[in-house]
Every structure is written in structure tokens, then in C-alpha cells.
């Protein structure tokens, strides 16, 4: 019996580090690691020790003979990666050996001399990037770490970005949570750097500050009608179904919308489509927001259209996510056959191409002016881009602001777009739809006190060191742009922390003028809703208790006042 890696793989390479026979690839040393969709276990080399499964933070590794349902296909997918070695599809591997590179000597790149003074480092942001940076500091140095987040609860993208029907991926939160009450960690949640405290004040109390604030807004289409009510960013839709406090519970109404157009076909677009047509009964056991579950139960949505500007050969989603979509119970997947190039590209796709997974799907001719057919369906439409949103009511403040203000804009009133005019074969078509969701990428926003590159939506840096700001660093999407999944942040954090420690040894970090205790006092004065590690544990107990009462993993608290109130209880009330 061997093991196989499945759809929820996070690519953080923890499994590679513990494998005694080096049978998991690509490794961080191999060229394909930076672009791989998932890691793979070589069935011929695996010795069935189970070390990788024990170490996997997202529960993605299973014995092959225990794979069930849609996961059964991953045994063949893992094996195919190695069967293709040397045939041109995986040029980084050498097919003449079961192990494709020798173990090197131990490396201790990110350490300080034993007699070096203890550093005090602030990490702003408690999502994956920030927690990987904190983990690196705590495991490799004696540094004290102050974890800061503007929200009164930790988790970032793990809590508010991962779809609720991906519980394995959400399990990464437990791996990070072990550091929240670490003896060298001070947790300050509900503290907004830029509002409650300035960047300069944070820097004055710490040797170094690492910003891990992510990319929190969605890219715009810049087309007429984009700011109408019912035209929203995927970032807001994802935040809404994940109970993010920034998005009002009534921000999205699905009760009068039969068709939704999603612009994009990357993983986030697939998440949006899947949640919209999933059986609410299947979501009821997850941590989806209560208000989103209620809206989905009352939803009229039967069809979701995924618009791709280019052809199927340029699908932006990963193979694992598309494979999962194909196994969604009770939902038909189809391809709009209006453009002859679409079928040609699917038929020409090689076995390793994502487009090959569209083979066998029905190719349909759709009357986009008519209501969707009965049943639930997701339709891929390629070579098609939106050029105008018509109908509904304009929101002068913009769709993102509208969703975040919720009821103040009428976003919950049922008024939506009437149609989306798109380009396409024969000059384009108008698709009747009640909601437009743009899922064309995330974008970072300026950070108070730091330089910002408007073109890339990132903070300029060199190896994570912020240009012109000694002692200030960035990690994650605000550093490299919105690319890579959760696991990609491990290598990103390693680079940034390596730069920080090199600067410390070189003497370029200024010892803080104020103490950590003084900073915590300052934080308590400035933030009325400050939450520490004990408060966070109380929030967790409250949400789990609410979930247990309803047969769910947890029921999230969806507003800042609710979160702060739960943190102050300090005792579980089941």
C-alpha cells in the first residue's frame, strides 16, 4: 500500500521534509516547485511509513486503498506524474532513478549567533504569510513576536478566504493556532496599524516590523455599468459567505436571481460558482456564514456562467479544483459551443493540460436571453469578455463599497443587474443575469506609512526588505502580488525572515527605544476592542459551541461587536 496526495494539497512542502525516501516531488529545489498545482508521491518509491500524512497540515494525504469518492482519481494522478518523467512533460526529473536528487547536508540559513541579543519583531497580519513568518522566527531564533491584526480574530485568508466546503484546507488554521499562545508571542487583535497606532509607533517598540496584510480588494473590469448594484467583486462574495465583518450579512440577495455571470475561470471563480449551485444541505455541516446558508436555501440561482477571455487552453484554474467541480452532486457541467475554436482546443489538449478535463462535457447552444433550464448547471463560455453591465441601479461609490455597506446601498433589496453584454463569436451576445461577480484577481491596497507600487498593487522591496524603510519588511501577497496558494507563503516567509536576520547580523536594525510592555499598554489605550490569546480562545469556544448545538463544525460570529463580546466572556458557555 502506498500513499497519494489529493485535491487539498497546500504545497507548503512540510511532507517533503519528513519523507525518509525522498519520494515526494517537485521539491523546493526543483524548477517545477514554483508553478506546480500540487505535490505528488511516487508509488514505486513510497514505503508506506505514513510520515507525510501525519505531517500534512491540510489532511490531503491518504493511503491509496482508503481513497473514496472523487479522491480515488488521485492515485492515478500521482502515479502519472512519475510515469511521464523523462518523456518531456516533467523535464526537471531524471527517469533513471527512483529518487530524483540526493539529500543535501542540513542547512541552517535563518539563525542568529548564540550570543546575539533577543530580537522583538512585530508581524502585522495573522493570515498564512504572517503566521509562516512568525513560525520561522519562533523555530529558528529566540525572538519575541507581537502578532497584530486589525480584526478581533486571527486567521486571515484561512478563515475568510478558503471556501467552507474545503475543511481540509481550513485545517491549516489549527497548525498556525499553536503559535497564538506561544510563550514568546503576544497577540494583539483588533488593533489597526494606520488608525489605532501608526507605523512609526509600531517600529519604535520593535527591532523589526513584518507586514503580511495580503491583497484585500478585487481587480476591476473598467467597463460601463460595473458599479451598478448587483455587480460585485469575488473578494466581497467570498468574504460574505465566510462571515467577514467587513461585509454586511444582507449585502447579497439571491432570491430573485436565476442566472449569475462570473468573470474569470480561476480557482476563486470556481469557488464562487460551486457555492452558488451547491446543495445547501451539503454546506449545512460546514462553517459557512449563517446568513449565507439562509440566502442559499432561499436562492433562485440555477445557472452560473464562467466567462473566460481566452480559450480553454488558457484555463486559469488548477486541475484539482476542476476535478472537484466535476464531481459536484446534482450539478451539470457544460461548455458553450458557440465558438468553433473551443471544441478544437479541447480535442487538441494533451493529457497533462487542464483543458483535457473538459473532454466529455456536453457542448451546448444556449439562448442567453431566456431563463435557465430546470436543474442546476455551470456553463463554461470561452473567448468572451464583458463589455457592459445593464439594468439595475447605479452605486456611485463603487461595487466594493456597496457590498461592504450592505443595506445602505440597497444591495440587499433584490435590485440587480438585468444583463451582461459580452464579446464573442459573431460579435457578442447579451446574457440575461441578475448578478455579476468579477473574479479576475486580487489586488493589494496601500499600507499606511509604506511606499506603494500602484501598477502591481505591492510594496516595493528587495528580498522582503521595504525600500527606504530600514527594519521594515513585507511577506505574502503584499510582497509578491496575489499569486500562489497558502503553501507558497512558506518559501516567501523564509526569504523575508532570512533578509531580516541578515540585517540584524549586519547591524542595520535599530534597537527599539520603547519596550514591548509599553506597546501593549499603548494598544490597550488605543483599541477599545483589543483581543489577546485568551480572548481568541474564548471566541473559538463560543463558535464551536454554537456549531455543536446545530450539528456543525462551528457557527462563525459575523460582526466585530459579537467577536469582541465573545472574547470578553473568557469562559465557554455550552
Amino acid at each position: 500500500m502506498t500513499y497519494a496526495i489529493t485535491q487539498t494539497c497546500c504545497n507548503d512542502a512540510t511532507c517533503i521534509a519528513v519523507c525518509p525516501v525522498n519520494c515526494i516531488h517537485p521539491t523546493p529545489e526543483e524548477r517545477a516547485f514554483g508553478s506546480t498545482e500540487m505535490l505528488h508521491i511516487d508509488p514505486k518509491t513510497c514505503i508506506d511509513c505514513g510520515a507525510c500524512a501525519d505531517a500534512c497540515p491540510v489532511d490531503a494525504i491518504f493511503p491509496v486503498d482508503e481513497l473514496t469518492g472523487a479522491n480515488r482519481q488521485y492515485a492515478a494522478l500521482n502515479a502519472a506524474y512519475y510515469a511521464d518523467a523523462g518523456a518531456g512533460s516533467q523535464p526537471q526529473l531524471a527517469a533513471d532513478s527512483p529518487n530524483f536528487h540526493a539529500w543535501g547536508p542540513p542547512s541552517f540559513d535563518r539563525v542568529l549567533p548564540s550570543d546575539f541579543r533577543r530580537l522583538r519583531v512585530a508581524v502585522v497580519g495573522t493570515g498564512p504569510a504572517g503566521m509562516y513568518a512568525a513560525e520561522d522566527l519562533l523555530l529558528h531564533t529566540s525572538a519575541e513576536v507581537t502578532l497584530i491584526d486589525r480584526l478581533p480574530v486571527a486567521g486571515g485568508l484561512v478563515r475568510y478566504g478558503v471556501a467552507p466546503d474545503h475543511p481540509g484546507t481550513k485545517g491549516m488554521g489549527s497548525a498556525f493556532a499553536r503559535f497564538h499562545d506561544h510563550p514568546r508571542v503576544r497577540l494583539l487583535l483588533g488593533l489597526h496599524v494606520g488608525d489605532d497606532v501608526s507605523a512609526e509607533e509600531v517600529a519604535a517598540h520593535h527591532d523589526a516590523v513584518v507586514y503580511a496584510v495580503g491583497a484585500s480588494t478585487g481587480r476591476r473590469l473598467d467597463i460601463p455599468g460595473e458599479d451598478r448594484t448587483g455587480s460585485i467583486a469575488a473578494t466581497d462574495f467570498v468574504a460574505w459567505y465566510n462571515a467577514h465583518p467587513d461585509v454586511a450579512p444582507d449585502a447579497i440577495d439571491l432570491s430573485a436571481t436565476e442566472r449569475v455571470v462570473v468573470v474569470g475561470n480561476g480557482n476563486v471563480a470556481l469557488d464562487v460558482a460551486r457555492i452558488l449551485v451547491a446543495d445547501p444541505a451539503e454546506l449545512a455541516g460546514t462553517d459557512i456564514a449563517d446568513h449565507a446558508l439562509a440566502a442559499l436555501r432561499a436562492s433562485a440561482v440555477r445557472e452560473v456562467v464562467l466567462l473566460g477571455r481566452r480559450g480553454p487552453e488558457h484555463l486559469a484554474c488548477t486541475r484539482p479544483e476542476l476535478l472537484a467541480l466535476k464531481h459536484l452532486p446534482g450539478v451539470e457541467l457544460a461548455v458553450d459551443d458557440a465558438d468553433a475554436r473551443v471544441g478544437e482546443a479541447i480535442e487538441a489538449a494533451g493529457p497533462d493540460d487542464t483543458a483535457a478535463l473538459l473532454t466529455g462535457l456536453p457542448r451546448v447552444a444556449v439562448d442567453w436571453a431566456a431563463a435557465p433550464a430546470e436543474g442546476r448547471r455551470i456553463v463554461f463560455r470561452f473567448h468572451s469578455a464583458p463589455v457592459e453591465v445593464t439594468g439595475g441601479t447605479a452605486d456611485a461609490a463603487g461595487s466594493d463599497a456597496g457590498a461592504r455597506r450592505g443595506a445602505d446601498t440597497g444591495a440587499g433589496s433584490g435590485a440587480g443587474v438585468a444583463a451582461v453584454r459580452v464579446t464573442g463569436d459573431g460579435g457578442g451576445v447579451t446574457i440575461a443575469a441578475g448578478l455579476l461577480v468579477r473574479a479576475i484577481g486580487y489586488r493589494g491596497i496601500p499600507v499606511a506609512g509604506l511606499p506603494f507600487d500602484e501598477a502591481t498593487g505591492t510594496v516595493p522591496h528587495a528580498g522582503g526588505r521595504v525600500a527606504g524603510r530600514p527594519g521594515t519588511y513585507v511577506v505574502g501577497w503584499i510582497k509578491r502580488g496575489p499569486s500562489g496558494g497558502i503553501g507558497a507563503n512558506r518559501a516567501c516567509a523564509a526569504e523575508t525572515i532570512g533578509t531580516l536576520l541578515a540585517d540584524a547580523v549586519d547591524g542595520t536594525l535599530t534597537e527599539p527605544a520603547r519596550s514591548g510592555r509599553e506597546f501593549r499598554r499603548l494598544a490597550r489605550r488605543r483599541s477599545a476592542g483589543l483581543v489577546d490569546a485568551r480572548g481568541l480562545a474564548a471566541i473559538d469556544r463560543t463558535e464551536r459551541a454554537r456549531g455543536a448545538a446545530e450539528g456543525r463544525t462551528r457557527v462563525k460570529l459575523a460582526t466585530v461587536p459579537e467577536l469582541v463580546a465573545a472574547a470578553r466572556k473568557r469562559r465557554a458557555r455550552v
Side-chain angles (χ1 to χ4, degrees), residues 436-468:
L436 173 73
V437 182
R438 63 179 188 275
I440 55 173
Y442 284 54
R443 176 178 169 80
I445 60 175
V447 181
L450 301 188
F452 188 72
D453 185 338
E454 288 287 352
T456 62
T458 61
V459 172
H461 69 93
R465 182 191 303 110
V466 176

PDB file of all heavy atoms in Angstrom, residues 436-468:
ATOM      1  N   LEU A 436     -23.567  39.875 -11.338  1.00  0.00           N
ATOM      2  CA  LEU A 436     -22.260  39.754 -11.990  1.00  0.00           C
ATOM      3  C   LEU A 436     -21.192  39.736 -10.904  1.00  0.00           C
ATOM      4  O   LEU A 436     -21.157  40.616 -10.037  1.00  0.00           O
ATOM      5  CB  LEU A 436     -22.005  40.929 -12.931  1.00  0.00           C
ATOM      6  CG  LEU A 436     -20.604  40.989 -13.541  1.00  0.00           C
ATOM      7  CD1 LEU A 436     -20.447  39.915 -14.611  1.00  0.00           C
ATOM      8  CD2 LEU A 436     -20.311  42.362 -14.141  1.00  0.00           C
ATOM      9  N   VAL A 437     -20.339  38.733 -10.947  1.00  0.00           N
ATOM     10  CA  VAL A 437     -19.242  38.610  -9.984  1.00  0.00           C
ATOM     11  C   VAL A 437     -17.929  38.616 -10.759  1.00  0.00           C
ATOM     12  O   VAL A 437     -17.706  37.749 -11.606  1.00  0.00           O
ATOM     13  CB  VAL A 437     -19.351  37.318  -9.158  1.00  0.00           C
ATOM     14  CG1 VAL A 437     -18.219  37.253  -8.129  1.00  0.00           C
ATOM     15  CG2 VAL A 437     -20.711  37.215  -8.482  1.00  0.00           C
ATOM     16  N   ARG A 438     -17.099  39.583 -10.489  1.00  0.00           N
ATOM     17  CA  ARG A 438     -15.811  39.614 -11.190  1.00  0.00           C
ATOM     18  C   ARG A 438     -14.758  38.902 -10.343  1.00  0.00           C
ATOM     19  O   ARG A 438     -14.493  39.260  -9.193  1.00  0.00           O
ATOM     20  CB  ARG A 438     -15.389  41.052 -11.492  1.00  0.00           C
ATOM     21  CG  ARG A 438     -15.144  41.952 -10.319  1.00  0.00           C
ATOM     22  CD  ARG A 438     -14.704  43.344 -10.782  1.00  0.00           C
ATOM     23  NE  ARG A 438     -14.271  44.187  -9.691  1.00  0.00           N
ATOM     24  CZ  ARG A 438     -15.063  44.925  -8.936  1.00  0.00           C
ATOM     25  NH1 ARG A 438     -16.367  44.937  -9.186  1.00  0.00           N
ATOM     26  NH2 ARG A 438     -14.573  45.658  -7.954  1.00  0.00           N
ATOM     27  N   ALA A 439     -14.186  37.851 -10.915  1.00  0.00           N
ATOM     28  CA  ALA A 439     -13.175  37.042 -10.241  1.00  0.00           C
ATOM     29  C   ALA A 439     -11.931  37.032 -11.116  1.00  0.00           C
ATOM     30  O   ALA A 439     -11.504  35.993 -11.626  1.00  0.00           O
ATOM     31  CB  ALA A 439     -13.689  35.622 -10.002  1.00  0.00           C
ATOM     32  N   ILE A 440     -11.353  38.209 -11.307  1.00  0.00           N
ATOM     33  CA  ILE A 440     -10.217  38.359 -12.222  1.00  0.00           C
ATOM     34  C   ILE A 440      -8.926  38.691 -11.470  1.00  0.00           C
ATOM     35  O   ILE A 440      -7.970  39.178 -12.052  1.00  0.00           O
ATOM     36  CB  ILE A 440     -10.503  39.442 -13.274  1.00  0.00           C
ATOM     37  CG1 ILE A 440     -10.881  40.770 -12.614  1.00  0.00           C
ATOM     38  CG2 ILE A 440     -11.606  38.990 -14.216  1.00  0.00           C
ATOM     39  CD1 ILE A 440     -11.025  41.934 -13.591  1.00  0.00           C
ATOM     40  N   GLY A 441      -8.919  38.406 -10.184  1.00  0.00           N
ATOM     41  CA  GLY A 441      -7.696  38.597  -9.422  1.00  0.00           C
ATOM     42  C   GLY A 441      -7.864  39.536  -8.247  1.00  0.00           C
ATOM     43  O   GLY A 441      -8.759  40.391  -8.230  1.00  0.00           O
ATOM     44  N   TYR A 442      -7.004  39.343  -7.267  1.00  0.00           N
ATOM     45  CA  TYR A 442      -6.972  40.199  -6.080  1.00  0.00           C
ATOM     46  C   TYR A 442      -5.959  41.320  -6.303  1.00  0.00           C
ATOM     47  O   TYR A 442      -5.102  41.245  -7.176  1.00  0.00           O
ATOM     48  CB  TYR A 442      -6.563  39.383  -4.858  1.00  0.00           C
ATOM     49  CG  TYR A 442      -7.643  38.477  -4.301  1.00  0.00           C
ATOM     50  CD1 TYR A 442      -8.296  37.542  -5.099  1.00  0.00           C
ATOM     51  CD2 TYR A 442      -7.998  38.532  -2.955  1.00  0.00           C
ATOM     52  CE1 TYR A 442      -9.261  36.691  -4.590  1.00  0.00           C
ATOM     53  CE2 TYR A 442      -8.966  37.702  -2.431  1.00  0.00           C
ATOM     54  CZ  TYR A 442      -9.597  36.775  -3.250  1.00  0.00           C
ATOM     55  OH  TYR A 442     -10.557  35.963  -2.738  1.00  0.00           O
ATOM     56  N   ARG A 443      -6.058  42.320  -5.457  1.00  0.00           N
ATOM     57  CA  ARG A 443      -5.141  43.449  -5.561  1.00  0.00           C
ATOM     58  C   ARG A 443      -4.873  44.021  -4.173  1.00  0.00           C
ATOM     59  O   ARG A 443      -5.786  44.170  -3.362  1.00  0.00           O
ATOM     60  CB  ARG A 443      -5.733  44.538  -6.459  1.00  0.00           C
ATOM     61  CG  ARG A 443      -4.862  45.802  -6.550  1.00  0.00           C
ATOM     62  CD  ARG A 443      -5.460  46.833  -7.484  1.00  0.00           C
ATOM     63  NE  ARG A 443      -4.767  48.103  -7.365  1.00  0.00           N
ATOM     64  CZ  ARG A 443      -3.612  48.396  -7.938  1.00  0.00           C
ATOM     65  NH1 ARG A 443      -3.022  47.484  -8.693  1.00  0.00           N
ATOM     66  NH2 ARG A 443      -3.032  49.565  -7.771  1.00  0.00           N
ATOM     67  N   GLY A 444      -3.592  44.318  -3.895  1.00  0.00           N
ATOM     68  CA  GLY A 444      -3.232  44.928  -2.634  1.00  0.00           C
ATOM     69  C   GLY A 444      -3.618  46.395  -2.596  1.00  0.00           C
ATOM     70  O   GLY A 444      -3.813  47.032  -3.631  1.00  0.00           O
ATOM     71  N   ILE A 445      -3.745  46.933  -1.391  1.00  0.00           N
ATOM     72  CA  ILE A 445      -4.060  48.350  -1.216  1.00  0.00           C
ATOM     73  C   ILE A 445      -2.906  49.002  -0.441  1.00  0.00           C
ATOM     74  O   ILE A 445      -2.145  48.320   0.256  1.00  0.00           O
ATOM     75  CB  ILE A 445      -5.396  48.539  -0.471  1.00  0.00           C
ATOM     76  CG1 ILE A 445      -5.347  47.887   0.915  1.00  0.00           C
ATOM     77  CG2 ILE A 445      -6.545  47.964  -1.285  1.00  0.00           C
ATOM     78  CD1 ILE A 445      -6.589  48.129   1.756  1.00  0.00           C
ATOM     79  N   PRO A 446      -2.760  50.322  -0.556  1.00  0.00           N
ATOM     80  CA  PRO A 446      -1.648  50.992   0.123  1.00  0.00           C
ATOM     81  C   PRO A 446      -1.655  50.738   1.627  1.00  0.00           C
ATOM     82  O   PRO A 446      -2.710  50.636   2.256  1.00  0.00           O
ATOM     83  CB  PRO A 446      -1.890  52.471  -0.188  1.00  0.00           C
ATOM     84  CG  PRO A 446      -2.656  52.466  -1.479  1.00  0.00           C
ATOM     85  CD  PRO A 446      -3.546  51.262  -1.396  1.00  0.00           C
ATOM     86  N   VAL A 447      -0.454  50.619   2.188  1.00  0.00           N
ATOM     87  CA  VAL A 447      -0.279  50.423   3.623  1.00  0.00           C
ATOM     88  C   VAL A 447       0.214  51.733   4.224  1.00  0.00           C
ATOM     89  O   VAL A 447       1.185  52.320   3.734  1.00  0.00           O
ATOM     90  CB  VAL A 447       0.745  49.302   3.901  1.00  0.00           C
ATOM     91  CG1 VAL A 447       0.918  49.088   5.400  1.00  0.00           C
ATOM     92  CG2 VAL A 447       0.311  48.010   3.209  1.00  0.00           C
ATOM     93  N   ALA A 448      -0.461  52.195   5.266  1.00  0.00           N
ATOM     94  CA  ALA A 448      -0.106  53.474   5.883  1.00  0.00           C
ATOM     95  C   ALA A 448       1.370  53.506   6.263  1.00  0.00           C
ATOM     96  O   ALA A 448       1.869  52.610   6.942  1.00  0.00           O
ATOM     97  CB  ALA A 448      -0.975  53.710   7.123  1.00  0.00           C
ATOM     98  N   GLY A 449       2.058  54.527   5.793  1.00  0.00           N
ATOM     99  CA  GLY A 449       3.453  54.714   6.148  1.00  0.00           C
ATOM    100  C   GLY A 449       4.451  53.983   5.289  1.00  0.00           C
ATOM    101  O   GLY A 449       5.659  54.100   5.504  1.00  0.00           O
ATOM    102  N   LEU A 450       3.978  53.205   4.290  1.00  0.00           N
ATOM    103  CA  LEU A 450       4.888  52.442   3.441  1.00  0.00           C
ATOM    104  C   LEU A 450       4.772  52.896   1.990  1.00  0.00           C
ATOM    105  O   LEU A 450       3.708  53.359   1.548  1.00  0.00           O
ATOM    106  CB  LEU A 450       4.581  50.939   3.510  1.00  0.00           C
ATOM    107  CG  LEU A 450       4.654  50.259   4.870  1.00  0.00           C
ATOM    108  CD1 LEU A 450       4.520  48.751   4.694  1.00  0.00           C
ATOM    109  CD2 LEU A 450       5.928  50.600   5.597  1.00  0.00           C
ATOM    110  N   PRO A 451       5.847  52.755   1.199  1.00  0.00           N
ATOM    111  CA  PRO A 451       5.745  53.055  -0.233  1.00  0.00           C
ATOM    112  C   PRO A 451       4.815  52.044  -0.894  1.00  0.00           C
ATOM    113  O   PRO A 451       4.588  50.952  -0.356  1.00  0.00           O
ATOM    114  CB  PRO A 451       7.187  52.900  -0.726  1.00  0.00           C
ATOM    115  CG  PRO A 451       7.827  51.977   0.250  1.00  0.00           C
ATOM    116  CD  PRO A 451       7.198  52.282   1.584  1.00  0.00           C
ATOM    117  N   PHE A 452       4.287  52.399  -2.050  1.00  0.00           N
ATOM    118  CA  PHE A 452       3.320  51.513  -2.722  1.00  0.00           C
ATOM    119  C   PHE A 452       3.453  51.654  -4.220  1.00  0.00           C
ATOM    120  O   PHE A 452       3.579  52.756  -4.748  1.00  0.00           O
ATOM    121  CB  PHE A 452       1.893  51.854  -2.280  1.00  0.00           C
ATOM    122  CG  PHE A 452       0.854  50.877  -2.755  1.00  0.00           C
ATOM    123  CD1 PHE A 452       0.781  49.609  -2.198  1.00  0.00           C
ATOM    124  CD2 PHE A 452      -0.042  51.219  -3.761  1.00  0.00           C
ATOM    125  CE1 PHE A 452      -0.187  48.696  -2.635  1.00  0.00           C
ATOM    126  CE2 PHE A 452      -1.000  50.322  -4.199  1.00  0.00           C
ATOM    127  CZ  PHE A 452      -1.072  49.049  -3.633  1.00  0.00           C
ATOM    128  N   ASP A 453       3.453  50.519  -4.911  1.00  0.00           N
ATOM    129  CA  ASP A 453       3.512  50.487  -6.370  1.00  0.00           C
ATOM    130  C   ASP A 453       2.097  50.296  -6.898  1.00  0.00           C
ATOM    131  O   ASP A 453       1.530  49.200  -6.805  1.00  0.00           O
ATOM    132  CB  ASP A 453       4.421  49.340  -6.825  1.00  0.00           C
ATOM    133  CG  ASP A 453       4.632  49.308  -8.335  1.00  0.00           C
ATOM    134  OD1 ASP A 453       3.789  49.867  -9.071  1.00  0.00           O
ATOM    135  OD2 ASP A 453       5.637  48.724  -8.790  1.00  0.00           O
ATOM    136  N   GLU A 454       1.505  51.359  -7.439  1.00  0.00           N
ATOM    137  CA  GLU A 454       0.126  51.296  -7.925  1.00  0.00           C
ATOM    138  C   GLU A 454      -0.028  50.314  -9.085  1.00  0.00           C
ATOM    139  O   GLU A 454      -1.077  49.701  -9.258  1.00  0.00           O
ATOM    140  CB  GLU A 454      -0.340  52.684  -8.362  1.00  0.00           C
ATOM    141  CG  GLU A 454      -0.588  53.654  -7.214  1.00  0.00           C
ATOM    142  CD  GLU A 454      -1.851  53.317  -6.432  1.00  0.00           C
ATOM    143  OE1 GLU A 454      -2.609  52.434  -6.874  1.00  0.00           O
ATOM    144  OE2 GLU A 454      -2.060  53.922  -5.362  1.00  0.00           O
ATOM    145  N   ALA A 455       0.996  50.159  -9.882  1.00  0.00           N
ATOM    146  CA  ALA A 455       0.905  49.280 -11.051  1.00  0.00           C
ATOM    147  C   ALA A 455       0.753  47.817 -10.645  1.00  0.00           C
ATOM    148  O   ALA A 455      -0.010  47.064 -11.257  1.00  0.00           O
ATOM    149  CB  ALA A 455       2.127  49.468 -11.946  1.00  0.00           C
ATOM    150  N   THR A 456       1.469  47.401  -9.610  1.00  0.00           N
ATOM    151  CA  THR A 456       1.442  45.993  -9.204  1.00  0.00           C
ATOM    152  C   THR A 456       0.595  45.741  -7.961  1.00  0.00           C
ATOM    153  O   THR A 456       0.295  44.588  -7.632  1.00  0.00           O
ATOM    154  CB  THR A 456       2.868  45.495  -8.918  1.00  0.00           C
ATOM    155  OG1 THR A 456       3.427  46.266  -7.829  1.00  0.00           O
ATOM    156  CG2 THR A 456       3.751  45.653 -10.149  1.00  0.00           C
ATOM    157  N   GLY A 457       0.214  46.809  -7.256  1.00  0.00           N
ATOM    158  CA  GLY A 457      -0.538  46.635  -6.026  1.00  0.00           C
ATOM    159  C   GLY A 457       0.307  46.015  -4.922  1.00  0.00           C
ATOM    160  O   GLY A 457      -0.213  45.291  -4.068  1.00  0.00           O
ATOM    161  N   THR A 458       1.612  46.286  -4.912  1.00  0.00           N
ATOM    162  CA  THR A 458       2.513  45.718  -3.917  1.00  0.00           C
ATOM    163  C   THR A 458       3.393  46.804  -3.305  1.00  0.00           C
ATOM    164  O   THR A 458       3.450  47.926  -3.808  1.00  0.00           O
ATOM    165  CB  THR A 458       3.426  44.646  -4.542  1.00  0.00           C
ATOM    166  OG1 THR A 458       4.229  45.253  -5.574  1.00  0.00           O
ATOM    167  CG2 THR A 458       2.608  43.509  -5.155  1.00  0.00           C
ATOM    168  N   VAL A 459       4.083  46.433  -2.233  1.00  0.00           N
ATOM    169  CA  VAL A 459       5.054  47.325  -1.601  1.00  0.00           C
ATOM    170  C   VAL A 459       6.429  47.023  -2.192  1.00  0.00           C
ATOM    171  O   VAL A 459       6.862  45.869  -2.171  1.00  0.00           O
ATOM    172  CB  VAL A 459       5.075  47.122  -0.073  1.00  0.00           C
ATOM    173  CG1 VAL A 459       6.219  47.898   0.557  1.00  0.00           C
ATOM    174  CG2 VAL A 459       3.740  47.550   0.536  1.00  0.00           C
ATOM    175  N   PRO A 460       7.130  48.016  -2.747  1.00  0.00           N
ATOM    176  CA  PRO A 460       8.467  47.775  -3.319  1.00  0.00           C
ATOM    177  C   PRO A 460       9.420  47.214  -2.255  1.00  0.00           C
ATOM    178  O   PRO A 460       9.434  47.681  -1.112  1.00  0.00           O
ATOM    179  CB  PRO A 460       8.911  49.167  -3.784  1.00  0.00           C
ATOM    180  CG  PRO A 460       7.642  49.943  -3.950  1.00  0.00           C
ATOM    181  CD  PRO A 460       6.712  49.417  -2.894  1.00  0.00           C
ATOM    182  N   HIS A 461      10.201  46.227  -2.652  1.00  0.00           N
ATOM    183  CA  HIS A 461      11.079  45.569  -1.681  1.00  0.00           C
ATOM    184  C   HIS A 461      12.250  44.917  -2.395  1.00  0.00           C
ATOM    185  O   HIS A 461      12.268  44.770  -3.621  1.00  0.00           O
ATOM    186  CB  HIS A 461      10.303  44.487  -0.921  1.00  0.00           C
ATOM    187  CG  HIS A 461       9.950  43.309  -1.798  1.00  0.00           C
ATOM    188  ND1 HIS A 461      10.741  42.192  -1.892  1.00  0.00           N
ATOM    189  CD2 HIS A 461       8.905  43.107  -2.647  1.00  0.00           C
ATOM    190  CE1 HIS A 461      10.196  41.337  -2.741  1.00  0.00           C
ATOM    191  NE2 HIS A 461       9.087  41.870  -3.222  1.00  0.00           N
ATOM    192  N   ALA A 462      13.220  44.498  -1.614  1.00  0.00           N
ATOM    193  CA  ALA A 462      14.352  43.701  -2.095  1.00  0.00           C
ATOM    194  C   ALA A 462      14.508  42.531  -1.136  1.00  0.00           C
ATOM    195  O   ALA A 462      14.911  42.716   0.014  1.00  0.00           O
ATOM    196  CB  ALA A 462      15.631  44.539  -2.138  1.00  0.00           C
ATOM    197  N   GLY A 463      14.121  41.348  -1.576  1.00  0.00           N
ATOM    198  CA  GLY A 463      14.180  40.187  -0.700  1.00  0.00           C
ATOM    199  C   GLY A 463      13.278  40.290   0.503  1.00  0.00           C
ATOM    200  O   GLY A 463      13.511  39.659   1.533  1.00  0.00           O
ATOM    201  N   GLY A 464      12.239  41.114   0.411  1.00  0.00           N
ATOM    202  CA  GLY A 464      11.324  41.330   1.523  1.00  0.00           C
ATOM    203  C   GLY A 464      11.600  42.600   2.300  1.00  0.00           C
ATOM    204  O   GLY A 464      10.762  43.049   3.083  1.00  0.00           O
ATOM    205  N   ARG A 465      12.768  43.209   2.097  1.00  0.00           N
ATOM    206  CA  ARG A 465      13.124  44.454   2.789  1.00  0.00           C
ATOM    207  C   ARG A 465      12.489  45.628   2.064  1.00  0.00           C
ATOM    208  O   ARG A 465      12.696  45.828   0.871  1.00  0.00           O
ATOM    209  CB  ARG A 465      14.642  44.616   2.818  1.00  0.00           C
ATOM    210  CG  ARG A 465      15.133  45.862   3.560  1.00  0.00           C
ATOM    211  CD  ARG A 465      16.620  46.108   3.323  1.00  0.00           C
ATOM    212  NE  ARG A 465      17.441  44.979   3.711  1.00  0.00           N
ATOM    213  CZ  ARG A 465      18.088  44.194   2.836  1.00  0.00           C
ATOM    214  NH1 ARG A 465      17.987  44.410   1.528  1.00  0.00           N
ATOM    215  NH2 ARG A 465      18.835  43.198   3.260  1.00  0.00           N
ATOM    216  N   VAL A 466      11.686  46.438   2.769  1.00  0.00           N
ATOM    217  CA  VAL A 466      10.980  47.554   2.159  1.00  0.00           C
ATOM    218  C   VAL A 466      11.972  48.650   1.779  1.00  0.00           C
ATOM    219  O   VAL A 466      12.811  49.062   2.597  1.00  0.00           O
ATOM    220  CB  VAL A 466       9.900  48.113   3.106  1.00  0.00           C
ATOM    221  CG1 VAL A 466       9.231  49.350   2.504  1.00  0.00           C
ATOM    222  CG2 VAL A 466       8.854  47.040   3.402  1.00  0.00           C
ATOM    223  N   ALA A 467      11.855  49.114   0.549  1.00  0.00           N
ATOM    224  CA  ALA A 467      12.761  50.142   0.049  1.00  0.00           C
ATOM    225  C   ALA A 467      12.663  51.410   0.885  1.00  0.00           C
ATOM    226  O   ALA A 467      11.570  51.935   1.118  1.00  0.00           O
ATOM    227  CB  ALA A 467      12.435  50.449  -1.412  1.00  0.00           C
ATOM    228  N   GLY A 468      13.811  51.880   1.364  1.00  0.00           N
ATOM    229  CA  GLY A 468      13.873  53.143   2.097  1.00  0.00           C
ATOM    230  C   GLY A 468      13.332  53.102   3.503  1.00  0.00           C
ATOM    231  O   GLY A 468      13.187  54.147   4.138  1.00  0.00           O
TER     232      GLY A 468
END
